[in-house]
Amino acid sequence: MNRFLLALVIALSLVTHVAAADKIAIIIDDIGNHPEDLAAAELPGDVTFAVLPFTPYGRAFALKAHHQGKQIMAHVPMQALAGNALGLGALTADMSSAEIKLKLRQVLDDIPYVAGINNHMGSQLTQLTQPMQAVMESLRNHDLYFIDSRTTEYTVAEQIAHRYQVPVARRHVFIDNETNKQYLSQQFDELIRLARQQGTAIAIGHPYPETIAFLKQRLSTLEQEGIQLVFASELTVTSELSIPSGLLETRQ
């Protein structure tokens, strides 16, 4: 009987371990332009926040969120194919490598406690090898990670991050392209489905009041669902071997 109970305990432990291995990260982008953004720091758990540089409330938010145990990223504007207005701190295709590295240094000086960065827009820049090499060289030198927001299917950011051995991961789901509850639930369910299928998944949302209210409610159910919320940094990987430059896919 004792052996049976011991075997049962071990089996239950294994089941719990497998469930705990399903992890998600949630990144809230576009922080810093509105005073209401500060309320997003009240979200429960290990939520990651991507702060726009040189915004009226970005620095204050980063300070508040860090002291509440959250993780801070820099949400770096990068040139888009549609020619969208980029804002301050933007990286563009006409910049030299030295100019990109200087601009990133200025961004990192503006936002305290940055652990990594992701791209704000960037459907053009993340396709281009030379600018992304400069980005990854800078991140490697500052021990930062990169999350590819994947605003284009032709992005080379992950490949170049692996080449420079920068910890990297990709966005799998945008949760609030629409902010009605049905859509938010649908996208969050897709995030959970991917996490169970792959072991991990990353979602990006925004500090909309509807998104924040939805997440406050839904994040409280994760433990019951056997899903662990972790910071984005915990889902990044680092390549052990650099990728030869000839294998990089480029789209000019």
Side-chain angles (χ1 to χ4, degrees):
M1 181 63 72
N2 288 340
R3 289 183 179 179
F4 172 78
L5 289 175
L6 179 59
L8 181 61
V9 169
I10 292 173
L12 289 173
S13 298
L14 289 174
V15 170
T16 303
H17 175 75
V18 170
D22 296 333
K23 298 178 180 180
I24 62 169
I26 295 176
I27 301 169
I28 304 298
D29 273 358
D30 294 354
I31 295 288
N33 278 317
H34 307 287
E36 294 83 5
D37 293 352
L38 295 172
E42 305 297 332
L43 281 171
D46 292 347
V47 180
T48 305
F49 293 96
V51 179
L52 287 163
F54 309 110
T55 49
Y57 303 97
R59 185 174 182 85
F61 179 92
L63 290 168
K64 176 181 179 179
H66 172 78
H67 289 297
Q68 291 182 204
K70 310 303 184 184
Q71 187 170 88
I72 306 301
M73 302 175 65
H75 193 38
V76 181
M78 298 186 188
Q79 189 167 343
L81 288 168
N84 309 60
L86 296 172
L88 298 175
L91 307 182
T92 57
D94 60 351
M95 287 181 171
S96 67
S97 294
E99 288 172 326
I100 287 174
K101 292 175 184 178
L102 175 60
K103 184 65 67 176
L104 278 174
R105 177 68 268 173
Q106 293 168 344
V107 166
L108 297 177
D109 286 342
D110 179 67
I111 305 171
Y113 302 114
V114 167
I117 79 167
N118 69 339
N119 52 296
H120 174 56
M121 298 184 282
S123 56
Q124 179 173 354
L125 200 79
T126 58
Q127 295 186 35
L128 304 177
T129 298
Q130 177 267 324
M132 297 315 297
Q133 286 177 333
V135 168
M136 299 309 165
E137 287 176 3
S138 184
L139 296 185
R140 182 181 63 187
N141 291 338
H142 290 99
D143 294 321
L144 301 176
Y145 67 85
F146 184 82
I147 303 295
D148 189 350
S149 302
R150 292 193 65 81
T151 54
T152 172
E153 64 181 304
Y154 301 109
T155 174
V156 298
E158 281 185 274
Q159 294 170 308
I160 296 177
H162 284 306
R163 181 183 176 190
Y164 285 90
Q165 298 182 310
V166 171
V168 65
R170 64 168 63 186
R171 182 272 312 165
H172 299 98
V173 176
F174 283 121
I175 62 173
D176 56 2
N177 287 336
E178 300 175 25
T179 57
N180 62 78
K181 190 169 183 179
Q182 180 180 354
Y183 184 86
L184 291 167
S185 296
Q186 169 192 305
Q187 295 301 99
F188 202 92
D189 288 345
E190 174 65 5
L191 174 68
I192 299 301
R193 185 191 70 80
L194 288 171
R196 287 182 171 144
Q197 180 184 77
Q198 305 170 166
T200 65
I202 296 175
I204 288 179
H206 301 84
Y208 306 138
E210 299 89 343
T211 302
I212 300 305
F214 171 82
L215 288 175
K216 282 183 178 178
Q217 183 275 323
R218 189 62 191 269
L219 293 180
S220 66
T221 70
L222 287 179
E223 185 176 354
Q224 300 169 19
E225 298 180 75
I227 299 293
Q228 183 181 0
L229 176 66
V230 299
F231 291 131
S233 60
E234 294 186 44
L235 301 189
T236 60
V237 296
T238 306
S239 177
E240 294 183 4
L241 298 173
S242 62
I243 299 173
S245 58
L247 296 182
L248 292 173
E249 298 175 7
T250 60
R251 182 182 174 90
Q252 300 299 328

